Amino acid sequence: MLHSLRKSLAVLPAALMFIASLSAAPAAQAQQPVAQPTPAPQTPAQRGQYLAQAGDCISCHTANGGVPFAGGYRLDTPFGALLAPNITPDPKTGIGLWSADQFYRAMHEGVNRHGQDMYPAMPYDFYTRITREDSDAIYAYLRTLAPVVNAVNINQLHFPFNQRWSMAVWRELYFTEGTFKPDASKPASWNRGAYLVEGLGHCSSCHSPRNALGGIEKDKAYTGASIDGWFALNLSSNLHTGLGSWTAADIATYLKTGAVPGKTTALGPMAEVVRNSTSHLTDADLAAMAEYLKSIPPNSSLRTGKPVPDPARAQAATLYMDHCGACHQAGGRGMPGVFPPLAGNPVVIAPDAANIVKVVLGGVPAQGKYIPMPGFASVLNDQQIADLANYVRTSWGNQAAADVTAASVARLRPR
């Protein structure tokens, strides 16, 4: 249930194959009691150890027979391998030179210390929900570990899959950055369970089927999926195939011990999750997780995050990455002082889209430290520019109307 995307990596080649074929800030909720472990350990590092156990970090970042957290666990795919990195505080081969800000950026945005997009074998699409306070606590705990010299050649994928830009389209389609926001209509215990299940626990990553692009099928979340030769069970409230006949106490017992008399025992990857993660959690947190899981509708989901994109949006994302992504970056974050961000940019989200359409058509000259942007009037047709404008107006938290049409672009096109 709380297992890493390393057990879901079978879907990654499909996403990478799709990308190759293309050839081309939310408010933190630290003040909420849901963000605190129960009971709260005495120091940030102690809290961090508990949170790292809730996230099952050790399972991915420890090679078979290796030193805990020193990396090297191998993730095999038909396109090569990925090795989990060393996250001990060794300055040369681990994260000893990482700041707390850089660590949080990796957890929250999926961007490493060098500004590179990370592969989703690191489940940052779930970890983005954790608070800054909890990220800092995990960082403090990792800093207490003994430094281990273990250089890991992380990326062993074959070309072109070994190029980090190959994951940019995946990010555009399936990653939504944002800290967990409690539901005021629910009790604190339910919100605590949601925070653990949807964030650190990343349960849906294994227990949900994925589409051909490697994205979770949101309308089938928690309904079970084949993982690494095993089947991650249905966690919805379905009476026949899910947890409908389980009580919350049954679920909590299973997470604590790996067995419920008369029902089942944990096998394969789930047994590892229980051993390394859930058996270390407090009874209150396990009860909260069970409460949240019992609230998941039968054969449905709570539909958190992005919906599965339709073909038109996928095509628009491709246009963005082909023509804009190299400068404005995945997530529309830009590059400070060089390329302006598109997320939250007033030109992009203005009620009238004329400005952004004109920018795409004609480009922008150099301004201050910002380098010039070329126009695409001779490269893209009216419909493509409309699709591109609508995409940037509705992505990364932008909530402008997707009201640009080919006809409106034609009216603005230079004659």
Side-chain angles (χ1 to χ4, degrees):
M1 199 177 305
L2 292 159
H3 215 253
S4 170
L5 276 179
R6 67 188 180 86
K7 299 298 184 183
S8 309
L9 203 63
V11 301
L12 183 58
L16 294 174
M17 185 179 296
F18 164 70
I19 291 162
S21 71
L22 300 176
S23 63
Q29 301 295 325
Q31 74 274 17
Q32 297 290 340
V34 68
Q36 301 296 325
T38 306
Q42 296 179 344
T43 68
Q46 288 174 323
R47 284 189 62 238
Q49 180 178 14
Y50 180 86
L51 294 165
Q53 288 170 328
D56 198 17
C57 304
I58 195 171
S59 290
C60 273
H61 290 280
T62 306
N64 294 331
V67 178
F69 299 104
Y73 186 91
R74 184 180 179 90
L75 308 163
D76 287 304
T77 82
F79 297 93
L82 289 168
L83 301 184
N86 179 349
I87 57 172
T88 72
D90 179 65
K92 292 185 178 180
T93 65
I95 62 170
L97 298 180
W98 287 53
S99 67
D101 287 343
Q102 291 167 336
F103 184 81
Y104 178 67
R105 188 184 187 195
M107 297 283 279
H108 190 71
E109 299 179 30
V111 177
N112 68 17
R113 177 172 172 259
H114 303 291
Q116 300 169 317
D117 292 332
M118 299 168 68
Y119 284 95
M122 158 68 171
Y124 60 81
D125 49 333
F126 292 88
Y127 292 163
T128 187
R129 295 182 176 94
I130 75 169
T131 65
R132 176 62 192 260
E133 183 181 11
D134 281 356
S135 174
D136 286 351
I138 296 171
Y139 173 80
Y141 166 63
L142 294 176
R143 301 288 290 183
T144 69
L145 300 176
V148 178
V149 178
N150 184 34
V152 178
N153 181 15
I154 297 170
N155 190 345
Q156 299 184 19
L157 297 171
H158 307 313
F159 183 84
F161 313 111
N162 60 350
Q163 305 300 303
R164 287 185 181 270
W165 56 258
S166 67
M167 291 313 303
V169 172
W170 190 94
R171 288 177 60 96
E172 286 299 310
L173 296 177
Y174 300 111
F175 176 56
T176 300
E177 177 186 331
T179 307
F180 174 78
K181 295 181 179 179
D183 184 341
S185 69
K186 301 290 187 180
S189 56
W190 184 96
N191 277 300
R192 177 61 178 171
Y195 180 75
L196 291 169
V197 170
E198 297 284 355
L200 282 170
H202 55 284
C203 305
S204 181
S205 66
C206 283
H207 289 269
S208 303
R210 294 174 180 263
N211 60 28
L213 310 184
I216 290 175
E217 297 184 35
K218 295 294 183 180
D219 60 342
K220 298 179 181 177
Y222 296 103
T223 59
S226 296
I227 301 295
D228 202 26
W230 299 82
F231 186 79
L233 300 178
N234 186 330
L235 301 183
S236 79
S237 296
N238 185 286
L239 280 172
H240 302 290
T241 61
L243 299 178
S245 65
W246 291 46
T247 66
D250 289 338
I251 298 172
T253 297
Y254 178 80
L255 294 173
K256 188 72 173 182
T257 67
V260 178
K263 291 189 180 294
T264 191
T265 58
L267 301 171
M270 191 60 205
E272 183 180 354
V273 170
V274 172
R275 181 174 64 253
N276 290 337
S277 179
T278 55
S279 63
H280 299 278
L281 303 186
T282 64
D283 290 343
D285 274 349
L286 294 176
M289 292 173 67
E291 179 182 353
Y292 177 75
L293 289 170
K294 283 292 292 180
S295 73
I296 296 173
N299 291 326
S300 185
S301 76
L302 301 180
R303 291 181 172 82
T304 58
K306 291 182 180 178
V308 176
D310 59 33
R313 185 166 178 82
Q315 185 176 17
T318 302
L319 286 171
Y320 174 78
M321 293 313 305
D322 283 350
H323 300 286
C324 315
C327 297
H328 293 288
Q329 303 291 295
R333 61 181 181 269
M335 297 178 66
V338 183
F339 305 109
L342 300 180
N345 190 313
V347 172
V348 175
I349 60 177
D352 188 326
N355 287 351
I356 187 62
V357 172
K358 287 184 176 181
V359 166
V360 176
L361 284 168
V364 179
Q367 298 181 17
K369 294 182 180 180
Y370 289 123
I371 68 174
M373 171 185 158
F376 295 97
S378 64
V379 178
L380 302 177
N381 62 36
D382 293 341
Q383 186 61 58
Q384 288 173 316
I385 291 176
D387 291 343
L388 182 57
N390 287 330
Y391 180 78
V392 299
R393 283 168 61 79
T394 58
S395 297
W396 325 300
N398 292 342
Q399 297 182 6
D403 54 3
V404 183
T405 65
S408 65
V409 173
R411 288 193 294 270
L412 295 170
R413 185 180 284 275
R415 300 301 179 186

